[in-house]
Structures are given as C-alpha cells and as structure tokens.
Amino acid sequence: MATETTDDKLDACCLTEYRPLPGIPSGQMIKIADIDTYYISGKDQTSKGKTIVLLTDIFGLTKNIRIIADEVSEKSGFDVYVPDLLRGDAIHSSLMKNMPEESGEKMSISARLRYAGNLVTSLAPWLFRHRQSVSLPLVQKFFQTLRSEKGVTKIEAVGYCFGGLYALLAGGPLHLADAIVGCHVSLTNKTHFEQLEVPAAFACAQEDNQFSDSLRAEAEQILARKSELPSKFLMTKGTAHGFASRPNPDNHVTMAAFKQANDLIAEWAKTHL
C-alpha cells in the first residue's frame, strides 16, 4: 500500500547532489512495499496502468534522478516511480568529481589514486552490502506490489549503471517487466542479454569501462539473433560513463546525450508497453 513518507536522509541527499541538474522536482515521496519511492503522475489518463520504473545508480535517490523522472513522465505521459532500493545507503555523488565527462578525457594520476582508494575503502564494502542476493528481492517485491496494489499492468524498467543489471534481470525469466532500457549499464555479462525476453534498448557511452565495446558488440549480436525481440543500441557521441544520470549541465555534449537518453526511454515505453 502506498503511503506518504518524509525521509530526512533522502531529502538531504537530494539537496547535496554533486553537480545537480537545474529545476525543482515536482513529484512526491511515497512508500510502496515499505520502500521509499519518488513518484510523479503522468498526464496521459488513457495510459494509466502503464508505468516506468527507474532503477538508480550507486548514488541513489538524489535530485538528478527525480528531475529525470519528471522529464521522462512529461515526454511519455506515463506515471514514473523511482524506488530507493539502497535504503538510504547511497554513495555520495561527489565521487564523480574528476571523472571523465567526455570520451578521450583522461584522469590525472592523483585522481586515479583517489579513485582506487575509494574502490577499496568505500565501493567494495558497499557492493557487498548491496549484492544481488540483497537487492534482487527488493526489486521483485517492488514490481510485484506495483501490479497487485497500484493497478499497474505494464512496466518499463530503466536501469542506470548499478540499476542496469536489475533492469536486465527484470526483463528476463523473472517476468517482472514488459520492456527495458539500460543506460550505461554495469555489472552485466553476456548471460544477462541471452536471458532477455522483452523489448530492450540501451543508451551507451562512446567510452565506458563498465560496459566495454566488446561486451556491447556481443550483446548486440545476441539480441540480433532474437529476431522476434525488438532491440536498439543508441551510441551517444563524445560521452563517457554516467552521461544519462550525471551529466554536467554546463557541458553541451553530455547534455545533448542526456536528452537523447530520456527521449529513448519515453519512446521505448510508448512503443512497447
């Protein structure tokens, strides 16, 4: 059952977003399946029952993903939900500082050392706390509750980086989603693409150490063989990992790609739900 919620941790996280997108989120926080969730109601009353669920990156339910939800809802007309699957235990988005914004950019030696240190001290323990055996049951519970309690009949699962894995899993044998979109996905392998059973689109960075050229090419080949299954790979020029969820508002290259990703999410939902 959905109820209103006020979560100081989530509000503070939203306010302290590193390099925030412009605008003020216009949705509301509710609880679904005991999971704090950002919700924005779609304007297309004829599409009620069809919804888009955004699965966040490691930075959780910050301002940016709420702005994205608002924009995707505006473009598609659908209701959009963003569950806090991290339960308030997000990595702060300042980790993006000094990370490449565009393809071809290189990190300085000092930035590489700091990032390596963060991997050991923060990210590795965090990934263990949010391993698949912990996170997947939350995804299942959330999607099932949407259908049983909110009257949802069709779902597009959209995953960013960490959330991309769960979008893929939702579109596989678990039968949680009816279509998926992955944005610079991570933690995936060819098996996740082989097991897809629903229309799948991907917004890809030109350079992405989380979703390599070789894995992307293999994924394209796998889905091309599934002739009955619509698929699309959008390659965004000049981009690096994170462009679809953490673009620099002052960088016209990443912002153009960010808009492309949002358009893809909306159009894929309107076409395949």
Side-chain angles (χ1 to χ4, degrees):
M1 184 175 182
T3 57
E4 291 188 2
T5 182
T6 56
D7 189 315
D8 292 338
K9 287 180 69 177
L10 289 177
D11 288 343
C13 194
C14 182
L15 292 172
T16 58
E17 172 80 84
Y18 172 71
R19 208 163 57 196
L21 289 166
I24 299 173
S26 57
Q28 61 180 311
M29 290 299 300
I30 61 176
K31 273 190 182 291
I32 295 177
D34 198 35
I35 298 171
D36 290 309
T37 303
Y38 180 78
Y39 167 68
I40 180 74
S41 177
K43 295 180 180 179
D44 184 359
Q45 296 301 313
T46 65
S47 294
K48 292 301 178 182
K50 300 178 180 181
T51 195
I52 299 171
V53 176
L54 306 184
L55 303 174
T56 75
D57 55 23
I58 64 175
F59 307 119
L61 223 171
T62 54
K63 178 185 178 182
N64 279 11
I65 196 68
R66 304 182 198 205
I67 294 293
I68 292 168
D70 291 358
E71 183 168 323
V72 166
S73 181
E74 179 68 27
K75 289 176 179 289
S76 66
F78 294 171
D79 293 348
V80 179
Y81 295 86
V82 192
D84 178 31
L85 300 177
L86 308 183
R87 301 285 197 175
D89 180 34
I91 297 290
H92 195 279
S93 57
S94 60
L95 183 68
M96 293 291 291
K97 187 177 182 180
N98 298 320
M99 295 292 287
E101 293 180 17
E102 298 185 30
S103 60
E105 287 186 10
K106 302 298 181 184
M107 293 175 67
S108 67
I109 293 176
S110 60
R112 286 176 181 271
L113 290 173
R114 284 195 299 271
Y115 184 71
N118 282 326
L119 284 176
V120 174
T121 60
S122 300
L123 285 180
W126 185 92
L127 286 169
F128 179 76
R129 292 197 302 274
H130 297 281
R131 58 197 181 276
Q132 188 171 315
S133 62
V134 173
S135 298
L136 184 56
L138 293 175
V139 174
Q140 291 178 285
K141 183 181 180 182
F142 185 84
F143 280 63
Q144 290 164 353
T145 302
L146 278 184
R147 294 184 190 273
S148 64
E149 296 187 9
K150 298 295 289 180
V152 171
T153 57
K154 296 284 186 179
I155 299 174
E156 176 179 86
V158 180
Y160 298 84
C161 187
F162 171 82
L165 168 63
Y166 296 97
L168 281 158
L169 292 172
L174 294 175
H175 302 113
L176 298 174
D178 303 281
I180 73 162
V181 177
C183 297
H184 40 76
V185 299
S186 66
L187 305 175
T188 60
N189 57 53
K190 69 174 186 177
T191 301
H192 297 123
F193 296 91
E194 290 171 341
Q195 293 181 341
L196 276 174
E197 298 179 0
V198 300
F202 298 89
C204 306
Q206 184 172 333
E207 287 186 7
D208 193 339
N209 59 3
Q210 303 294 316
F211 190 45
S212 66
D213 290 347
S214 59
L215 178 55
R216 187 188 70 249
E218 190 169 26
E220 290 188 64
Q221 292 171 2
I222 289 168
L223 293 182
R225 292 195 292 268
K226 296 173 179 275
S227 57
E228 78 289 354
L229 200 66
S231 62
K232 180 175 182 177
F233 287 78
L234 170 67
M235 176 60 69
T236 56
K237 294 182 179 179
T239 53
H241 185 82
F243 74 90
S245 54
R246 309 288 160 187
N248 181 348
D250 297 323
N251 185 315
H252 73 277
V253 173
T254 54
M255 283 304 293
F258 169 76
K259 295 293 185 183
Q260 283 184 284
N262 287 345
D263 288 343
L264 175 64
I265 292 166
E267 288 304 318
W268 203 252
K270 289 192 289 185
T271 302
H272 297 290
L273 294 188

